Amino acid sequence: LEKFQFESINSNKNLSTHENFFHGIQKIKYYMFLSTGIPFSLVDSTYVSQILQAYAIRQVAEAHRRSKGYCWGSMFWQLNDAWPSISWSSIDYYGYWNALQYDIARVYDSISISFEGDVVYFINDEINDVKGKYEFSIISFAGEIQYQYSLDISMKGNSLTRVFLERNFDAR
Protein backbone atom coordinates (compact mmCIF):
# COMPACT_ATOMS: atom_id res chain seq x y z
CA LEU A 1 0.00 0.00 0.00
CA GLU A 2 1.37 3.38 -0.98
CA LYS A 3 0.48 6.76 0.56
CA PHE A 4 1.04 10.04 -1.28
CA GLN A 5 0.20 13.72 -0.82
CA PHE A 6 0.47 17.20 -2.32
CA GLU A 7 -0.55 20.41 -0.55
CA SER A 8 -2.94 23.11 -1.71
CA ILE A 9 -4.57 26.22 -0.28
CA ASN A 10 -7.93 24.77 0.72
CA SER A 11 -9.91 27.87 1.53
CA ASN A 12 -9.53 31.59 1.10
CA LYS A 13 -11.75 32.11 4.14
CA ASN A 14 -10.02 32.75 7.47
CA LEU A 15 -6.77 31.22 6.28
CA SER A 16 -4.81 30.49 9.41
CA THR A 17 -1.09 30.34 9.81
CA HIS A 18 -1.30 26.55 10.09
CA GLU A 19 0.78 24.80 7.48
CA ASN A 20 1.10 21.03 7.58
CA PHE A 21 4.39 20.77 5.69
CA PHE A 22 7.54 22.80 6.28
CA HIS A 23 8.05 25.10 3.25
CA GLY A 24 4.73 23.89 1.78
CA ILE A 25 3.68 27.31 0.47
CA GLN A 26 7.06 27.70 -1.26
CA LYS A 27 6.56 24.35 -3.00
CA ILE A 28 3.05 25.37 -4.09
CA LYS A 29 4.33 28.71 -5.44
CA TYR A 30 7.16 26.94 -7.28
CA TYR A 31 4.76 24.58 -9.10
CA MET A 32 2.33 27.44 -9.83
CA PHE A 33 5.22 29.36 -11.39
CA LEU A 34 6.23 26.34 -13.51
CA SER A 35 2.71 25.70 -14.78
CA THR A 36 0.95 29.05 -15.05
CA GLY A 37 2.96 31.87 -13.54
CA ILE A 38 2.30 32.99 -9.98
CA PRO A 39 -1.29 34.15 -9.48
CA PHE A 40 -1.48 37.41 -7.54
CA SER A 41 -4.75 37.19 -5.64
CA LEU A 42 -5.52 34.73 -2.86
CA VAL A 43 -8.59 33.50 -4.78
CA ASP A 44 -6.45 32.75 -7.88
CA SER A 45 -3.73 31.12 -5.79
CA THR A 46 -6.33 28.95 -4.04
CA TYR A 47 -7.84 27.81 -7.34
CA VAL A 48 -4.53 27.11 -9.12
CA SER A 49 -3.03 25.30 -6.11
CA GLN A 50 -6.08 23.01 -5.96
CA ILE A 51 -5.83 22.22 -9.70
CA LEU A 52 -2.12 21.42 -9.26
CA GLN A 53 -2.89 19.22 -6.25
CA ALA A 54 -5.56 17.32 -8.20
CA TYR A 55 -3.20 16.87 -11.16
CA ALA A 56 -0.31 15.62 -8.99
CA ILE A 57 -2.45 13.14 -7.06
CA ARG A 58 -4.15 11.97 -10.28
CA GLN A 59 -0.75 11.15 -11.84
CA VAL A 60 0.22 8.91 -8.92
CA ALA A 61 -3.21 7.31 -8.49
CA GLU A 62 -3.48 6.51 -12.21
CA ALA A 63 0.02 5.00 -12.23
CA HIS A 64 -1.07 2.74 -9.37
CA ARG A 65 -4.30 1.83 -11.17
CA ARG A 66 -2.33 1.03 -14.34
CA SER A 67 -0.25 -1.39 -12.25
CA LYS A 68 -3.26 -3.57 -11.47
CA GLY A 69 -1.97 -7.02 -10.61
CA TYR A 70 1.14 -5.60 -8.93
CA CYS A 71 -0.32 -2.70 -6.98
CA TRP A 72 -3.58 -3.55 -5.26
CA GLY A 73 -4.16 -0.37 -3.36
CA SER A 74 -3.16 3.20 -2.72
CA MET A 75 -4.48 6.10 -0.74
CA PHE A 76 -3.90 9.81 -0.83
CA TRP A 77 -3.38 11.86 2.30
CA GLN A 78 -5.67 13.40 3.64
CA LEU A 79 -9.45 13.65 3.53
CA ASN A 80 -10.27 16.68 5.70
CA ASP A 81 -8.86 19.39 7.96
CA ALA A 82 -9.24 20.23 11.64
CA TRP A 83 -8.80 23.98 10.91
CA PRO A 84 -8.52 26.26 7.88
CA SER A 85 -5.02 25.76 6.52
CA ILE A 86 -2.65 25.06 3.70
CA SER A 87 -2.76 21.28 3.71
CA TRP A 88 -2.98 17.97 1.90
CA SER A 89 -6.74 17.58 2.44
CA SER A 90 -9.33 17.22 -0.31
CA ILE A 91 -12.18 18.57 1.84
CA ASP A 92 -11.61 21.84 3.68
CA TYR A 93 -12.42 22.70 7.29
CA TYR A 94 -15.84 24.02 6.24
CA GLY A 95 -16.77 20.77 4.45
CA TYR A 96 -16.28 22.11 0.92
CA TRP A 97 -14.76 19.77 -1.63
CA ASN A 98 -11.70 21.08 -3.41
CA ALA A 99 -10.65 20.10 -6.95
CA LEU A 100 -8.85 16.96 -5.74
CA GLN A 101 -11.99 15.46 -4.19
CA TYR A 102 -13.97 15.89 -7.42
CA ASP A 103 -11.15 14.59 -9.60
CA ILE A 104 -10.11 11.60 -7.48
CA ALA A 105 -13.68 10.29 -7.47
CA ARG A 106 -13.36 9.83 -11.26
CA VAL A 107 -9.90 8.27 -11.00
CA TYR A 108 -11.25 5.54 -8.72
CA ASP A 109 -14.41 4.79 -10.71
CA SER A 110 -14.89 1.03 -11.01
CA ILE A 111 -14.47 1.39 -14.78
CA SER A 112 -11.87 3.97 -15.78
CA ILE A 113 -9.51 4.98 -18.56
CA SER A 114 -5.93 6.18 -18.14
CA PHE A 115 -3.31 7.37 -20.63
CA GLU A 116 0.44 6.93 -20.56
CA GLY A 117 2.18 8.06 -23.74
CA ASP A 118 0.79 6.07 -26.67
CA VAL A 119 -0.93 3.51 -24.42
CA VAL A 120 -4.54 3.64 -23.22
CA TYR A 121 -5.38 1.58 -20.15
CA PHE A 122 -8.94 0.38 -19.61
CA ILE A 123 -9.45 -0.62 -15.98
CA ASN A 124 -12.43 -2.73 -14.93
CA ASP A 125 -12.79 -3.32 -11.18
CA GLU A 126 -16.27 -4.80 -11.56
CA ILE A 127 -16.92 -8.54 -11.41
CA ASN A 128 -18.80 -8.57 -14.72
CA ASP A 129 -17.34 -8.27 -18.21
CA VAL A 130 -17.89 -4.91 -19.91
CA LYS A 131 -18.20 -4.02 -23.59
CA GLY A 132 -18.30 -0.57 -25.10
CA LYS A 133 -17.02 1.85 -27.68
CA TYR A 134 -14.07 4.11 -26.93
CA GLU A 135 -13.67 7.30 -28.91
CA PHE A 136 -11.35 10.23 -28.51
CA SER A 137 -10.20 13.21 -30.54
CA ILE A 138 -7.36 15.67 -30.42
CA ILE A 139 -8.79 19.10 -31.16
CA SER A 140 -6.79 22.28 -31.73
CA PHE A 141 -7.58 25.48 -29.83
CA ALA A 142 -9.16 26.70 -33.08
CA GLY A 143 -11.64 23.81 -32.89
CA GLU A 144 -10.14 21.76 -35.73
CA ILE A 145 -10.01 18.00 -35.28
CA GLN A 146 -6.36 16.97 -35.49
CA TYR A 147 -6.84 13.26 -34.83
CA GLN A 148 -9.71 10.87 -34.12
CA TYR A 149 -9.63 7.36 -32.78
CA SER A 150 -12.42 4.84 -32.28
CA LEU A 151 -12.25 1.34 -30.83
CA ASP A 152 -14.71 -1.34 -29.75
CA ILE A 153 -13.46 -2.56 -26.39
CA SER A 154 -14.25 -5.70 -24.40
CA MET A 155 -12.96 -6.04 -20.84
CA LYS A 156 -13.09 -9.09 -18.63
CA GLY A 157 -14.24 -8.60 -15.05
CA ASN A 158 -11.55 -7.37 -12.65
CA SER A 159 -9.05 -6.73 -15.43
CA LEU A 160 -6.66 -4.28 -17.03
CA THR A 161 -6.64 -3.95 -20.83
CA ARG A 162 -3.83 -2.11 -22.65
CA VAL A 163 -4.31 -0.67 -26.12
CA PHE A 164 -1.34 0.73 -28.02
CA LEU A 165 -2.33 3.69 -30.18
CA GLU A 166 -0.93 4.17 -33.63
CA ARG A 167 1.25 7.25 -33.82
CA ASN A 168 0.12 8.42 -37.22
CA PHE A 169 -0.72 11.91 -36.08
CA ASP A 170 1.36 15.02 -35.55
CA ALA A 171 1.14 16.87 -32.26
CA ARG A 172 0.56 20.29 -33.79
Side-chain angles (χ1 to χ4, degrees):
L1 184 65
E2 179 71 28
K3 177 190 81 140
F4 47 96
Q5 64 212 25
F6 190 94
E7 281 190 311
S8 73
I9 304 167
N10 278 338
S11 175
N12 55 17
K13 294 193 275 184
N14 303 321
L15 186 62
S16 73
T17 57
H18 294 287
E19 188 174 338
N20 292 336
F21 183 70
F22 185 66
H23 296 306
I25 193 67
Q26 287 86 0
K27 182 174 81 169
I28 292 168
K29 286 180 179 180
Y30 172 76
Y31 285 110
M32 284 194 295
F33 177 75
L34 285 181
S35 63
T36 64
I38 298 175
F40 295 103
S41 73
L42 179 58
V43 172
D44 289 346
S45 295
T46 301
Y47 175 77
V48 172
S49 73
Q50 287 184 22
I51 297 300
L52 287 172
Q53 179 192 38
Y55 177 78
I57 298 299
R58 172 183 271 279
Q59 296 307 303
V60 177
E62 283 188 349
H64 290 170
R65 301 279 326 260
R66 290 189 301 260
S67 297
K68 188 178 181 88
Y70 300 101
C71 179
W72 289 99
S74 63
M75 65 181 194
F76 65 93
W77 186 261
Q78 71 196 43
L79 182 62
N80 62 351
D81 279 323
W83 50 73
S85 66
I86 297 166
S87 80
W88 305 295
S89 73
S90 61
I91 300 174
D92 75 10
Y93 170 78
Y94 303 100
Y96 297 113
W97 285 23
N98 72 19
L100 170 59
Q101 189 66 26
Y102 288 101
D103 195 43
I104 205 72
R106 289 188 288 272
V107 171
Y108 285 108
D109 276 344
S110 60
I111 299 172
S112 62
I113 299 171
S114 177
F115 296 89
E116 184 179 40
D118 296 345
V119 183
V120 180
Y121 294 82
F122 297 92
I123 302 159
N124 181 8
D125 289 336
E126 294 186 357
I127 296 170
N128 300 320
D129 296 353
V130 176
K131 292 182 180 181
K133 186 170 190 128
Y134 167 71
E135 298 177 332
F136 86 91
S137 301
I138 297 175
I139 302 171
S140 72
F141 286 110
E144 299 166 353
I145 295 174
Q146 303 291 314
Y147 179 77
Q148 284 186 303
Y149 188 82
S150 179
L151 172 72
D152 290 319
I153 187 78
S154 179
M155 295 183 287
K156 298 257 186 232
N158 194 28
S159 70
L160 173 73
T161 303
R162 291 175 189 87
V163 175
F164 295 88
L165 299 178
E166 300 171 15
R167 279 300 289 234
N168 60 358
F169 64 90
D170 294 324
R172 299 174 199 177

